[in-house]
Structure formats: structure tokens, C-alpha cells
Amino acid sequence: MDSSTLTFSPERCADLHNQLLAKATEHSLNIQIEQNLAPRFLDIAPEFAEVPSLDDMPLYRFLSLLHTTPPAVNGVVDLLTPFVYQPDPRTFWTDRVGHEPYFILLYGQNNGGSPVDGGIYLDIQSYKAVWHSGNSPRFPPPDQWLPLEVILQKSLDAWATGKFYWDVQEAAIKVRSWTDHDVEQSVAAFHRLVSSIELRMPFKGDEAHSHRRLEPLDAQTLAPFKMSAFATKFLTTANRPDFPFVAPGIRVFTPHLLDEIYGAEASESTRRTHWLGDEEDWPTLILPGIDSVPDDVGQSTNHDINSFDQSWGFGKFTVNRRSGLYIMPDIGNSDLVRLVAGSGLCSACEFQSPCRWGPPREPRLAEVFDHWTALVENGTWSVDANGVSTDHAWFTEYTFVAKPPPVL
């Protein structure tokens, strides 16, 4: 979907919303479906009834087509997806948007906080939308807003891939921490990265080097080490290249290197004894760096480096301070990543700007591999017979370039 060419269609957006509501309610018995959001909107904002040709106003047309379930006696509305509630005209204009009268909180967030503290906002002049949370006082600039259709389609896609599902025991719509689709995306993106590197490797004599792919790591080889289920699935599915470096100073595991790095980890290490995200979902090093982070990084004047050993820093979750690419799970997402540079900097794989279509998160593994492929293909990273030859210090020196953009 090319979001740059989409214009707001009340009919298309309403159809996507109604499909989402059907998914959210298909397992609920005796559920009542209404189509009265437009009159509920006029009850809250009666001044809109004076708008000439109200039926032609895009917002009103959109609201008049939406299906919803009735609010509870206490006024609480039901969920549309695991992340957002159904539209509630009473909360369209909140304190947050009081100074932005053309912004409405169309879908309030469901993240343990108040629904009116964030969610999906709609600009009723441009009809662009964006996810915005209470963590930031300012709305994103106009060029970061997306067609509402794109955001709704992303949620519908999550049903199609199994990311969203109906939990029979809890009788609620939930989010899976990872799916086979997530693994397939990550493996495909990794293979594209490897292929891009291979195409830029020097010839040997008159013949191009004939590359072969090595078998994935064996599950029995990984078994002695505490690794997240997603990381294990990725490492036992992705074919490995016959060269070591897939990013600056970032290598692919061999069985020997795996034992050398993980085998030296103490059984009582913080990484092994504390999980993040869902239960038994540990931070996991999947592509080791060539360096370990020095012990004196706390003296650095760079906050992103000296925080490594602070109580809130990532250092305690590394494997013996080893640099490299880590799976860094959170609740509901087991395929998020964190890159630890040899300097101790841990921000080189954060998004360049916040995620615009959903709750804030770190980049997914597939998104990072796609960005690394672009850095190979545009010549930012150099390649030699050992793979990517750019020095590992590049991640610290060119941190912003290393950050992937939030691409749909």
C-alpha cells in the first residue's frame, strides 16, 4: 500500500473498522452491534449540526458508517483491537488536544493507563492519523502522520498473521508475543542481507566467488544456553553465510563461537535469571560483536554510553558485556532488538522517529535487517572477502544513520 497516494475515503476506512469489530466480537455470544455513532457525536458536539451539507462532511460520513457495541452502564466502551478502544465521542476532545481543535482522539489506547492519555489521533482537516502517547507533550510533525486507512489495515493484517487472536480462556482479544510469520519475515530479511553482501564481494581471479549457505545452528547446540523461544527459532531456521561479518564488527555464530561466548556466562547472571516480556523470554545475543564493553564506560561524557552500567542500563542483560545484536523482548513482542556497540552505546538500532501506527516499541529484527541491507546496497558499508568490512566503531560514530526509519 502506497500511503503517499491515499486520500481519505470514509467508506474504505469504515469498512476496515467494521472488519476489525467483526474480528473482535465474532466469539462473543449475544453481542449487540449498533450503527449510531454519528448521533452520539452530535449529542456531544451539537454545533456540528449547523454545518451546511453535514452528510457530505468526511468525518460525519465516516462516523455514520461505523459499527460499534453499546457502552457499558458505567460508560466504558469495548476494545476494537488489543491496543485500542472503540471510538467514544465523549473523549474525542481531551485536555491534550484542547489547543488543537482539529485533532480528535479517535481510538483511545489500551495499555494499562487511561484511554484518554493517548492512542490514534485523527486530524479532521487533513484526515491523516498518528499514534501518539502520553509520554510526549507535543504531537508529531505533519509529515509523520499517516492515512487512517493504513493504520487500520495494519491492525487487520495482525489478525491475518495470527498476531491478534481470541483467547478462549480469558474470553478476550489478545496479542501473541511472536508468530511463525514473524520468524519468516526475519529469516527472509536476513537472507536478503546476506545476498546483498555476497553481490558486493570481490571476485577471485576471473570467477565470482561461489558462495554457499551453511546449515542453521542445531537446536541441541543451543539447548545448554538460556535463549528466548523466538531467538532459538530464528537461529535454527536461518541459513548462515560462509563469511563472518554481516554488519560492522558483527559476526554470525558458529558452534565454536557460541560455546566460547555463552559457555563463559555464569549461571547466576542477571540475563539468565531475569526475563523480559513474556515469561521465560530472555534477552538473547544472536549476532555477536568482536568486542566486549570496557569496564570504565561509566566515565564517558556520552549519556547513551555511561548509562550502560546504571540500574536502568542494558549492561546487566548482556552476555558477559559482549557487544552485538540482542533480541530484546517486551510484553507482546518477542522479536524486538537492541544493538550493543563495543563502546557501550545501546541506541544505534532505535527508530529514527517514533512508530507512527502503534504503541511505542523498539524495531523488530526484520526491520533492522532491512535497514542493514539498505546500508550495504547504498555503499554506506564497505564489503570485502570477509563480508562487511566497515569498522565496528561506525555504530558509535554514525549512530543516527545506524538507526532504522519506521517504515511501513
Side-chain angles (χ1 to χ4, degrees):
M1 182 183 298
D2 184 0
S3 63
S4 64
T5 61
L6 278 178
T7 57
F8 179 68
S9 166
E11 291 76 19
R12 289 198 306 268
C13 288
D15 180 63
L16 291 170
H17 167 101
N18 292 342
Q19 288 184 62
L20 287 170
L21 186 73
K23 291 287 187 182
T25 59
E26 64 182 352
H27 294 280
S28 301
L29 300 177
N30 303 318
I31 194 73
Q32 182 181 350
I33 305 296
E34 301 178 335
Q35 194 172 341
N36 62 358
L37 203 59
R40 286 170 55 196
F41 168 68
L42 292 181
D43 287 343
I44 298 300
E47 63 273 18
F48 277 84
E50 306 301 321
V51 174
S53 303
L54 178 62
D55 290 342
D56 295 328
M57 182 183 178
L59 175 64
Y60 189 80
R61 285 167 53 202
F62 171 62
L63 296 178
S64 68
L65 295 169
L66 295 188
H67 297 167
T68 59
T69 55
V73 175
N74 61 3
V76 175
V77 297
D78 293 329
L79 291 174
L80 180 68
T81 77
F83 294 135
V84 296
Y85 288 93
Q86 297 174 34
D88 183 356
R90 296 168 302 171
T91 59
F92 279 0
W93 286 276
T94 65
D95 291 341
R96 174 179 296 280
V97 297
H99 61 290
E100 299 283 1
Y102 296 106
F103 295 176
I104 64 171
L105 178 58
L106 184 60
Y107 298 104
Q109 66 184 4
N110 174 38
N111 64 355
S114 170
V116 300
D117 283 343
I120 299 172
Y121 289 83
L122 179 70
D123 181 339
I124 60 175
Q125 285 189 311
S126 69
Y127 286 97
K128 294 292 185 69
V130 74
W131 182 285
H132 184 62
S133 68
N135 296 330
S136 176
R138 295 184 178 180
F139 283 92
D143 63 351
Q144 290 187 15
W145 291 56
L146 298 166
L148 177 62
E149 186 173 340
V150 170
I151 297 178
L152 294 174
Q153 185 64 57
K154 293 282 284 187
S155 291
L156 200 56
D157 291 344
W159 280 102
T161 63
K163 184 71 173 176
F164 293 171
Y165 72 103
W166 178 261
D167 187 304
V168 176
Q169 289 187 333
E170 295 190 24
I173 49 176
K174 303 288 286 294
V175 181
R176 286 189 174 92
S177 57
W178 63 276
T179 67
D180 288 341
H181 177 75
D182 297 326
V183 177
E184 292 164 4
Q185 279 193 316
S186 297
V187 170
F190 181 69
H191 289 166
R192 287 193 297 270
L193 169 64
V194 171
S195 295
S196 295
I197 297 170
E198 289 172 344
L199 288 172
R200 286 155 183 81
M201 294 178 107
F203 290 168
K204 286 190 174 182
D206 295 330
E207 299 291 333
H209 178 48
S210 178
H211 296 282
R212 62 188 180 91
R213 298 291 170 85
L214 306 179
E215 291 292 321
L217 291 170
D218 185 84
Q220 290 184 336
T221 305
L222 303 179
F225 315 114
K226 281 193 174 179
M227 295 184 168
S228 75
F230 172 83
T232 299
K233 185 69 173 179
F234 171 78
L235 290 171
T236 56
T237 304
N239 290 312
R240 295 172 293 136
D242 61 354
F243 54 86
F245 291 100
V246 294
I250 303 294
R251 298 171 289 180
V252 175
F253 267 124
T254 64
H256 173 76
L257 188 58
L258 187 78
D259 187 64
E260 176 185 317
I261 293 175
Y262 272 99
E265 185 182 29
S267 60
E268 69 276 8
S269 71
T270 299
R271 189 200 72 84
R272 289 173 59 96
T273 55
H274 292 74
W275 58 73
L276 303 177
D278 294 329
E279 187 172 341
E280 297 187 352
D281 212 355
W282 296 276
T284 304
L285 177 64
I286 60 167
L287 294 174
I290 57 173
D291 300 321
S292 293
V293 177
D295 292 330
D296 62 354
V297 291
Q299 300 174 22
S300 173
T301 57
N302 184 331
H303 172 74
D304 287 338
I305 293 176
N306 66 37
S307 63
F308 182 83
D309 285 320
Q310 300 296 331
S311 59
W312 63 88
F314 189 70
K316 58 183 172 294
F317 295 121
T318 60
V319 181
N320 290 340
R321 308 178 70 85
R322 175 67 61 165
S323 65
L325 190 67
Y326 285 79
I327 295 296
M328 175 63 172
D330 71 3
I331 298 297
N333 294 285
S334 291
D335 62 340
L336 307 184
V337 297
R338 180 76 57 88
L339 186 128
V340 176
S343 63
L345 183 134
C346 295
S347 59
C349 270
E350 296 174 350
F351 277 134
Q352 291 177 6
S353 58
C355 181
R356 300 171 291 166
W357 57 87
R361 61 169 172 81
E362 302 286 346
R364 298 172 55 229
L365 183 60
E367 292 167 336
V368 170
F369 286 152
D370 284 341
H371 184 53
W372 285 5
T373 299
L375 294 172
V376 171
E377 293 179 346
N378 66 22
T380 299
W381 290 352
S382 301
V383 173
D384 65 13
N386 290 315
V388 175
S389 59
T390 301
D391 190 88
H392 184 62
W394 182 89
F395 283 111
T396 301
E397 187 174 356
Y398 297 99
T399 304
F400 183 77
V401 182
K403 295 175 183 284
V407 179
L408 288 170

